Amino acid sequence: TKTREVLNTDINDLFKSSRKIDDALFEELEEVLITADLGMDITMEMMDRIRKKAGRLSTADQLKAVLKQELIALFPGKEDPETVPALPRPHIIMVVGVNGTGKTTTLGKLATRFTRENKKVLIAAADTFRAAAIEQVGIWADRAGATIVRHKQGADPAAVAYDGVEAAMARGMDVLLIDTAGRLHTQKNLMEELKKIKRTVEKKMPGAPHEVLMVLDATTGQNAISQAKMFHEAVNLTQLALTKLDGTAKGGIVAAVAGTLHLPIRYIGVGESMDDLQEFDAVRFVNALFD
Amino acid sequence: MFENLSDRLDSVFKKLKGHGTLNEKNIEEGLKQVRMALLEADVNYKVAKNVISDIKTRALGQEVMESLTPGQQVIKIVYDEFTRMMGSKHQALDLGTGSSGSIMLVGLQGSGKTTTAGKLGLYLRKQGRTPFLVPVDVYRPAAIDQLKKIGTQLDLPVFDSTPDMKPLKICQDAQIAAREQGCDTLVYDTAGRLHMDDTLMAELETLKKGVSPSEILLVADAMTGQDAVNIAGSFDQRLDLTGVVLTKMDGDARGGAALSIKAVTGKPLKFIGVGEKFTGLEPFHPDRMASKILGMGDTLSFIERA
Ligand SMILES: Nc1nc2c(ncn2[C@@H]2O[C@H](COP(=O)(O)OP(=O)(O)OP(=O)(O)O)[C@@H](O)[C@H]2O)c(=O)[nH]1
Ligand SMILES: Nc1nc2c(ncn2[C@@H]2O[C@H](COP(=O)(O)OP(=O)(O)OP(=O)(O)O)[C@@H](O)[C@H]2O)c(=O)[nH]1
Ligand SMILES: [Mg+2]
Ligand SMILES: [Mg+2]
C-alpha cells in the first residue's frame, strides 16, 4: 500500500553487504530504532555505542551485527521456559495491565497450555467491571477445559479472587489464573483495588500470588514505561507478556520496561486463538526489529 | 521523567541571549529539543521530521515578540503548527441530510470500539436522535454479549445478532430492524482486526459497500506508538475513513499518535474517549491536544497572553 511504502524504509536495502558506513546509514539505523518504539533513551545510547565502534568496522553488515548484539544485551538473560512447580499448589498467577492489552486472551491461552500439560486449572473471573468480561473468560475456560469461579457483574473482585483461592485449594488445583479488569495506571482507586485483590490472595495463601504477569500491547508507545512502573509499584510484577506481535508494531518499548524493572518477558501473543502464545526469544525479537 | 519542553528550550536559548531574531544557527539547537519532545510523545519519526522542517521555515527570520522569550516563541510556533495540522476546531458528526444515518466503528483489537459504541449511543440520544446499536463482532468471545449488556445498562436498543450470523447479514437485517423500531441512527460495532489482515479488511470493505454508513470512524488508542501511521494509513486507504476517535485519553499518554494519524490520513479527529464510563466521550479539541502532546498542560497560557 502507498502509505506503507512511503513510511517504511526498505531495511534490506540498508544492509546490502558492500554498503559502507556513512552518516546516511546512521540516520537510517536511528530511524529503525525509533520506529520500533525503543524510545529515545535506548536509541541514543545504542547510536552512541555503534558510533564508537564504527571506526573498527568497514561494512554496514558488520555495524548491523554489532547493533543487534547491543540490542540483545538489553534483555535480562534467557531463563528456562516457565514450568509450573509441583509445590506449592495451587500455583497462582494474577494477570494485570491497562485496558484492552490482551489480559483475558493471554490468560485463556495460558489456561490451554497448562491443561494440555494435564494440569488442573481454575480461573477466577475477577474482572467484574467490564460488560461481559465474565462471559468472555468463561468461553476461554471452556475452550481450555478449565473450571471457573465467578460472581455477578459488579461484585467485589477481591471476593472473587478469595473464592478462587479457596476453591483451588479445596479442589486440589494445580494452577489458579486470576483475570483482573483493565485499568489505567493513573487511576488511584483502581490501583488500590488491584492491591486489595493481591492482599486478599496473599492472606488466603501465604506466598501467593506466585506470579504477577503484566500484559503489554506491542502497539503501545512510550506510555508502556509509565504503565509498568506504576503497576510494579502497586503489585510487584514478576513477569511480562507482549501481545499483538502479529501486527506491524515492533513492541520495542518492552526493552526499556524489562531493562528498567529487571523483569523477564515470558510470553508473546501472536494472534487471537489459543495456540497463538509463544515464549519470548530476545534474538528473534531483535531480528524482527530489522524486518 | 522528561523535562518540560519549555524548560529545555529556555536553557537552550539562555546561551543565545541578545539574539532578537530566530536565525538558522540559534534555531537549530531549539529544534533538536522540539524533535526530541515529539518523539518522546510518540509522534511518528517521519511525521516529526516533516513537522520540524515546516516549523523551521516558519520560524526563520521571525522577530521574537516583545512579550515572549525565544524559547516561548519557538513553542508558540510549534503549538500553532500543531493546532493548524490537527484541524483548528472541533468537527461534528456528519450523519447526512436523510431521515436516518449510521456510524461504523473500526479499528485494531482492544482499541475501544465496543465501549465507544455505547458512548456514542448515549451521545446521540442526548442529541435528540434514536440510536440502534449493532453488534457485528462475531469472532471475539462474548463480544456480542458485551454490547447487549451495554445496551441494557444504557437502555438503548441493540440488534439481536448471534455469532453464527454473517457480518454483512447482521448489518443489513439491523437496518430493517432499526426502521421497524423507529430508530434513526445505527452504530455498527465491528470486530477488532489488524490493518494488514487482508481477509478481515476485505470484510469491512464489503460491509461498507453493503450498508453505506454515513460515518466510518477509526477508533484508535491514544497510547499507540510509532505504528499509528501504518494502522491509520491502511484503514483509511481501504475504507476512506470519515474521522477518528482517540480513546483512553484519561491516562498520562502524550498522544502523539493524534498528530501521526492526522498527518497520514488527513481525516478529522472527532472525539476523544476519557474513561470507561459511557459518559466519557468528549469532542476533540486540536488546541488541547497540541498542549498535551507538548506535555505542557496549562503552562501554555503565555501563548494566549502574547
Ligand atoms: N492480533 C492479536 N489480537 C490479540 C492478541 N491478544 C489479544 N488480542 C485481541 O485483543 C482484544 C483485547 O483482548 P482482551 O484479552 O479482551 O484484552 P483485556 O486486556 O482482557 O481487555 P480488558 O479486560 O477490557 O482490559 C481482543 O479482541 C483479543 O482477541 C494477540 O496476540 N494478537
Ligand atoms: N480508561 C479508558 N478505558 C477505555 C476507554 N475506551 C475503552 N476503554 C476500555 O478499553 C478496553 C477495551 O475496550 P473495548 O470497547 O472492549 O474495545 P474493542 O475495540 O471493542 O475491543 P475488541 O472488540 O476486542 O477489538 C475495555 O476495558 C474498556 O473499558 C477510554 O476512553 N478510557
Ligand atoms: Mg479482560
Ligand atoms: Mg469490541
Side-chain angles (χ1 to χ4, degrees):
Chain A
T1 63
K2 209 166 71 207
T3 326
R4 286 176 61 199
E5 265 163 36
V6 178
L7 291 165
N8 289 340
T9 318
D10 186 355
I11 296 309
N12 296 322
D13 286 349
L14 289 186
F15 300 123
K16 293 264 168 57
S17 50
S18 58
R19 185 164 173 191
K20 291 275 168 278
I21 297 169
D22 55 15
D23 280 351
L25 176 69
F26 282 113
E27 197 174 313
E28 285 156 25
L29 286 174
E30 187 195 58
E31 179 173 356
V32 169
L33 301 184
I34 290 172
T35 48
D37 287 314
L38 278 159
M40 290 313 287
D41 289 349
I42 289 183
T43 299
M44 288 190 304
E45 192 192 320
M46 290 294 127
M47 294 310 292
D48 263 4
R49 289 193 185 187
I50 59 170
R51 278 212 171 82
K52 280 193 191 118
K53 292 189 176 171
R56 280 177 275 132
L57 307 169
S58 51
T59 69
D61 267 349
Q62 292 168 334
L63 190 69
K64 175 189 163 192
V66 169
L67 177 57
K68 281 188 175 177
Q69 283 310 317
E70 295 285 355
L71 286 166
I72 290 164
L74 288 173
F75 296 95
K78 194 168 160 46
E79 292 168 56
D80 296 332
E82 172 140 348
T83 47
V84 173
L87 284 169
R89 276 200 315 171
H91 182 72
I92 302 183
I93 306 176
M94 177 170 160
V95 184
V96 304
V98 301
N99 308 85
T101 55
K103 293 174 292 300
T104 306
T105 306
T106 303
L107 177 145
K109 293 171 182 174
L110 275 174
T112 310
R113 165 183 287 220
F114 292 138
T115 52
R116 280 183 187 158
E117 292 167 6
N118 293 318
K119 300 254 172 358
K120 284 162 71 182
V121 180
L122 181 71
I123 294 170
D127 178 356
T128 56
F129 177 76
R130 213 207 61 203
I134 300 170
E135 286 76 5
Q136 183 188 5
V137 80
I139 292 173
W140 274 106
D142 288 346
R143 285 183 184 172
T147 43
I148 187 166
V149 165
R150 50 191 285 177
H151 289 194
K152 285 212 181 72
Q153 192 182 348
D156 175 11
V160 183
Y162 182 91
D163 284 359
V165 182
E166 194 170 59
M169 289 166 86
R171 299 183 208 163
M173 290 286 160
D174 298 304
V175 184
L176 171 67
L177 299 167
I178 304 174
D179 188 30
T180 65
R183 66 200 74 223
L184 291 183
H185 49 295
T186 48
Q187 282 157 346
K188 284 227 165 61
N189 55 332
L190 294 181
M191 294 307 279
E192 283 305 320
E193 179 193 86
L194 197 63
K195 287 191 204 170
K196 185 181 158 200
I197 297 173
K198 192 184 175 204
R199 273 199 311 268
T200 308
V201 171
E202 255 165 354
K203 224 183 242 166
K204 184 75 196 157
M205 181 177 179
H210 308 95
E211 301 285 356
V212 181
L213 170 65
M214 176 157 191
V215 178
L216 295 169
D217 180 333
T219 325
T220 308
Q222 302 308 298
N223 195 247
I225 299 176
S226 171
Q227 293 171 20
K229 276 190 177 151
M230 287 165 87
F231 271 89
H232 195 45
E233 236 166 69
V235 289
N236 233 323
L237 306 172
T238 65
Q239 49 181 207
L240 303 170
L242 185 65
T243 60
K244 308 185 194 174
L245 268 179
D246 46 326
T248 53
K250 305 289 190 184
I253 196 62
V254 78
V257 172
T260 26
L261 302 180
H262 306 288
L263 289 170
I265 306 158
R266 276 295 187 194
Y267 309 104
I268 59 169
V270 292
E272 298 185 78
S273 67
M274 54 192 198
D275 296 313
D276 295 326
L277 187 75
Q278 298 175 2
E279 306 287 331
F280 175 79
D281 177 339
V283 177
R284 279 177 64 190
F285 183 79
V286 167
N287 276 326
L289 299 182
F290 294 87
D291 283 346
Chain B
M1 179 172 35
F2 321 112
E3 263 180 279
N4 191 304
L5 176 60
S6 103
D7 296 343
R8 284 190 195 167
L9 286 174
D10 281 347
S11 84
V12 166
F13 286 104
K14 209 162 274 159
K15 296 180 220 141
L16 306 166
K17 264 224 175 78
H19 291 264
T21 317
L22 293 171
N23 62 38
E24 188 86 38
K25 239 200 239 142
N26 66 17
I27 191 99
E28 209 56 55
E29 188 55 32
L31 287 178
K32 249 191 216 161
Q33 298 299 328
V34 174
R35 175 176 181 268
M36 193 78 103
L38 296 191
L39 293 173
E40 281 167 355
D42 290 323
V43 174
N44 175 263
Y45 182 87
K46 285 223 163 64
V47 173
K49 200 170 189 169
N50 293 339
V51 173
I52 295 293
S53 105
D54 286 355
I55 288 168
K56 188 168 172 183
T57 318
R58 269 163 213 268
L60 278 181
Q62 273 200 19
E63 288 290 324
V64 174
M65 294 165 81
E66 285 285 331
S67 53
L68 300 179
T69 67
Q72 288 175 332
Q73 177 91 7
V74 170
I75 289 180
K76 179 170 161 43
I77 296 168
V78 177
Y79 172 84
D80 289 347
E81 174 69 9
F82 276 18
T83 310
R84 190 190 61 77
M85 277 178 74
M86 285 185 295
S88 301
K89 65 177 208 306
H90 166 63
Q91 284 225 14
L93 284 175
D94 180 4
L95 294 169
T97 48
S99 58
S100 69
S102 58
I103 303 170
M104 181 176 284
L105 301 177
V106 301
L108 292 191
Q109 288 94 346
S111 63
K113 295 172 294 300
T114 307
T115 308
T116 303
K119 290 176 177 180
L120 279 172
L122 202 58
Y123 171 89
L124 291 164
R125 186 167 63 196
K126 279 189 192 136
Q127 304 275 304
R129 303 189 72 105
T130 47
F132 190 63
L133 306 180
V134 188
V136 194
D137 181 353
V138 295
Y139 307 107
R140 213 207 64 195
I144 294 176
D145 228 5
Q146 185 184 355
L147 194 60
K148 285 183 179 169
K149 286 212 153 71
I150 291 171
T152 309
Q153 201 178 320
L154 300 176
D155 195 21
L156 289 169
V158 181
F159 181 68
D160 189 17
S161 348
T162 51
D164 57 338
M165 290 174 81
K166 290 262 177 299
L168 179 61
K169 176 96 168 102
I170 292 178
C171 295
Q172 289 168 336
D173 287 1
Q175 282 184 319
I176 301 166
R179 214 172 303 133
E180 281 169 3
Q181 298 186 32
C183 296
D184 60 19
T185 314
L186 292 102
V187 181
Y188 301 106
D189 174 33
T190 67
R193 66 202 72 215
L194 292 170
H195 52 290
M196 14 65 81
D197 183 329
D198 196 51
T199 314
L200 287 181
M201 291 304 281
E203 176 190 271
L204 286 180
E205 288 170 333
T206 309
L207 297 184
K208 176 184 177 181
K209 233 171 120 196
V211 296
S212 312
S214 7
E215 289 266 6
I216 304 180
L217 302 179
L218 174 71
V219 179
D221 186 325
M223 300 180 274
T224 311
Q226 294 286 319
D227 207 36
V229 290
N230 297 325
I231 299 160
S234 306
F235 272 97
D236 190 41
Q237 204 174 29
R238 300 209 53 163
L239 297 166
D240 191 13
L241 303 169
T242 62
V244 179
V245 181
L246 206 61
T247 61
K248 309 181 198 174
M249 283 285 290
D250 44 325
D252 60 355
R254 298 265 295 280
L259 202 66
S260 305
I261 292 172
K262 185 65 212 271
V264 81
T265 64
K267 299 299 161 59
L269 289 122
K270 296 201 166 179
F271 293 98
I272 57 170
V274 292
E276 296 189 72
K277 297 217 180 79
F278 297 99
T279 46
L281 186 74
E282 293 177 1
F284 175 83
H285 289 290
D287 46 347
R288 286 183 215 162
M289 193 71 222
S291 19
K292 186 147 175 152
I293 295 175
L294 290 170
M296 314 199 48
D298 299 331
T299 59
L300 278 170
S301 48
F302 66 81
I303 285 171
E304 277 134 40
R305 277 184 270 115

